[in-house]
Amino acid sequence: MGLLLIKLKPYDLAVLAAILVRAEDLQQQGYSWVGFCELDSDLQPWDKNGVLKPILNDLYNASRIWVYRDFLVEDVDELPEVWFSSN
């Protein structure tokens, strides 16, 4: 349902769908979360002011996807605790 409410270009929608499907596949293989760097502002779960975009943020959280702003993976301590308490 969430994907229907997002206004994205067709290519961005295809990329988002691929990310969500791959995250599900990795979870089924036993990984508890997936992280990736997203430089495309249309697919980032925040706007240019750092305010969360509710639909994208909810989709990523539900899929246990941690989105990074750059290629420096330094914020792993900030992963949502709920990701680890429910499997």
Side-chain angles (χ1 to χ4, degrees):
M1 172 89 175
L3 285 176
L4 298 175
L5 301 174
I6 299 175
K7 296 188 192 284
L8 291 173
K9 297 173 217 144
Y11 179 79
D12 289 336
L13 191 57
V15 169
L16 177 60
I19 291 166
L20 295 172
V21 168
R22 184 64 176 143
E24 176 66 25
D25 181 50
L26 288 169
Q27 284 184 14
Q28 289 180 2
Q29 293 179 40
Y31 294 92
S32 59
W33 62 278
V34 175
F36 79 102
C37 177
E38 183 56 67
L39 301 177
D40 182 340
S41 62
D42 292 333
L43 293 174
Q44 291 173 335
W46 55 81
D47 66 15
K48 64 181 179 181
N49 298 316
V51 176
L52 292 178
K53 299 175 187 174
I55 296 170
L56 272 176
N57 187 57
D58 291 348
L59 282 171
Y60 288 134
N61 279 332
S63 298
R64 295 183 179 185
I65 298 173
W66 191 251
V67 183
Y68 294 99
R69 296 177 190 272
D70 56 38
F71 291 101
L72 301 174
V73 182
E74 298 172 349
D75 297 332
V76 176
D77 316 356
E78 298 177 20
L79 291 172
E81 188 63 36
V82 70
W83 288 7
F84 301 101
S85 60
S86 61
N87 286 324

